[in-house]
Amino acid sequence: MGIGTLSQDLTSIAKRVLALACERRVGIITAESCTSGLLATTLSEAPGAAELLHGGFVTYTKENKTAALGVPADLLKSRGAVCPEVAAAMAEGALARSPADVAVAITGVAGPAKDEDGNPVGLVCIAVARKSCPPSVLERNYGDIGRDAVRERAMKDALLELERRLALSYWQGDAGAAAQD
């Protein structure tokens, strides 16, 4: 999957996400591993991206997850690069290192083979974080459906979770709604 082959479905969801972010005046940053920056590219195609997309981090290796995003090396050593805790740490690290209000992170195994920790092809963890709110984390196992399909499904799930989180009232400052999530 390259820039020229972004699905219409992904582009449509990205447009909805950026429209909601624009309405809420919320800046976005990405932190990506298996999607290699394609999520940021997808978001950049939507109206409003120039004002609200702060950019993204592509952290393919464990070493760069630590160097660029501050993911604890001991976490990566004990849990591997593909787990909910690493996805959350990537999102929180991106927030801490940018002026964005919201971060979305994806770490996973797109294939063609298991990763160095033995995680299977198709295992993906996604996190969405906002300053002063706990991150939401999704874990998916899409199976060995092919590299491009894993990446596309991961980006779709990440965009849908970002859209869902942006729509929550407590992300607008209503602390009472946080208990309802």
Side-chain angles (χ1 to χ4, degrees):
M1 168 180 289
I3 294 170
T5 60
L6 293 174
S7 77
Q8 187 62 36
D9 192 30
L10 286 176
T11 303
S12 175
I13 299 167
K15 286 179 181 177
R16 292 194 324 249
V17 166
L18 262 291
L20 191 52
C22 187
E23 179 183 310
R24 306 280 197 255
R25 300 305 309 155
V26 173
I28 300 171
I29 188 86
T30 67
E32 303 178 63
S33 185
C34 67
T35 51
S36 309
L38 288 172
L39 182 60
T41 299
T42 302
L43 286 166
S44 76
E45 296 295 319
E51 293 83 31
L52 298 170
L53 179 62
H54 288 277
F57 294 87
V58 177
T59 57
Y60 226 55
T61 65
K62 290 178 183 178
E63 295 80 13
N64 202 37
K65 285 174 178 62
T66 298
L69 296 171
V71 176
D74 59 335
L75 174 62
L76 290 162
K77 185 176 182 180
S78 66
R79 294 290 318 241
V82 184
C83 68
E85 296 84 359
V86 168
M90 288 172 64
E92 292 171 332
L95 274 180
R97 289 158 178 79
S98 76
D101 304 295
V102 177
V104 57
I106 302 174
T107 184
V109 185
K114 293 179 180 182
D115 72 2
E116 65 187 67
D117 299 312
N119 290 309
V121 174
L123 180 63
V124 174
C125 294
I126 298 162
V128 176
R130 179 162 181 158
K131 293 176 181 167
S132 73
C133 291
S136 65
V137 182
L138 307 175
E139 183 172 351
R140 300 285 188 258
N141 192 337
Y142 305 118
D144 192 354
I145 58 175
R147 184 173 178 78
D148 286 348
V150 168
R151 291 166 23 148
E152 184 163 351
R153 300 249 331 249
M155 289 189 298
K156 182 176 182 179
D157 283 346
L159 286 168
L160 289 171
E161 181 64 7
L162 181 56
E163 180 181 40
R164 185 182 82 78
R165 299 302 282 188
L166 287 171
L168 292 173
S169 62
Y170 84 85
W171 277 42
Q172 275 55 233
D174 179 4
Q180 298 173 2
D181 183 34

